[in-house]
Amino acid sequence: MKTEPGVVGIDDVLAMPNQTVDWWGVRNYQARNFMRDQMKVGDKVLFYHSSCAEPGIAGLAEVAKLAYPDRMQFDPKSPYFDPKSTPGNPRWVNVDVRVTKKTRLIGLAELRSHPELERMRLLQRGNRLSITPVDPAEWEFITGSLLK
DNA sequence: GCCAACGTTGGC
DNA sequence: GCCAACGTTGGC
């Protein structure tokens, strides 16, 4: 799951109660559907920093709460406000994410250097999705080999 | 700031 | 439903 550290970085989440944050602001249907349809409490998450000086994996996390309406869509003052969304029929949802471990930063170049991660969705050319599935083998390689 | 690669919008 | 124009993402 990508986040911009200038907005909410891993240190910000670690400073929050229960090291947990609501993943507000996703406004892409595919990414929303991953949260809504796929993610369960306890699912493991790679916490990724994007649009910053050092893009890469910054930590490990897990899903702490099933998808529910994103609070920003109802706030007219928020850039994430959606006038077409109503509390009775919300368009956007988010899960809660709890950071379980801050790791060393694994940069993009390093990720790309490993053939084991060649097919990782995050690394595919043209990928702009802020939430992408991670293959169990990819998770194992990253947590088992790269972070040892 | 550039720009590739998308995704969304809206006229038809 | 098509598709051109426009907007966004995100690494560099």
Side-chain angles (χ1 to χ4, degrees):
Chain A
M1 298 180 81
K2 299 184 193 172
T3 182
E4 300 184 19
V7 182
V8 181
I10 193 157
D11 291 329
D12 300 310
V13 181
L14 285 173
M16 291 177 186
N18 300 316
Q19 296 75 55
T20 299
V21 66
D22 56 321
W23 209 263
W24 53 268
V26 170
R27 294 294 180 271
N28 169 283
Y29 290 105
Q30 240 186 305
R32 178 204 66 183
N33 293 349
F34 284 135
M35 289 197 284
R36 189 189 62 189
D37 305 332
Q38 310 273 122
M39 295 172 75
K40 303 279 185 273
V41 172
D43 282 356
K44 303 299 185 187
V45 172
L46 297 170
F47 193 103
Y48 182 92
H49 281 174
S50 75
S51 290
C52 58
E54 289 185 296
I57 294 168
L60 306 180
E62 63 186 19
V63 175
K65 187 177 177 183
L66 283 177
Y68 59 98
D70 177 319
R71 59 189 162 94
M72 296 299 186
Q73 70 195 310
F74 306 125
D75 178 359
K77 294 189 295 292
S78 169
Y80 294 94
F81 177 64
D82 186 342
K84 293 178 185 160
S85 198
T86 64
N89 189 18
R91 179 177 297 192
W92 305 109
V93 299
N94 60 248
V95 297
D96 281 357
V97 172
R98 175 165 48 235
V99 171
T100 51
K101 188 177 195 180
K102 180 179 177 177
T103 64
R104 73 179 177 86
L105 192 113
I106 310 174
L108 263 185
E110 180 178 355
L111 290 170
R112 292 191 196 284
S113 77
H114 295 289
E116 291 87 344
L117 302 178
E118 222 166 36
R119 305 194 53 196
M120 199 173 175
R121 187 90 170 256
L122 169 75
L123 304 178
Q124 295 312 300
R125 168 187 177 78
N127 170 58
R128 296 186 314 163
L129 274 183
S130 64
I131 299 177
T132 49
V134 176
D135 195 88
E138 294 161 354
W139 172 272
E140 274 312 307
F141 181 74
I142 290 165
T143 59
S145 300
L146 296 190
L147 293 175
K148 282 305 164 218

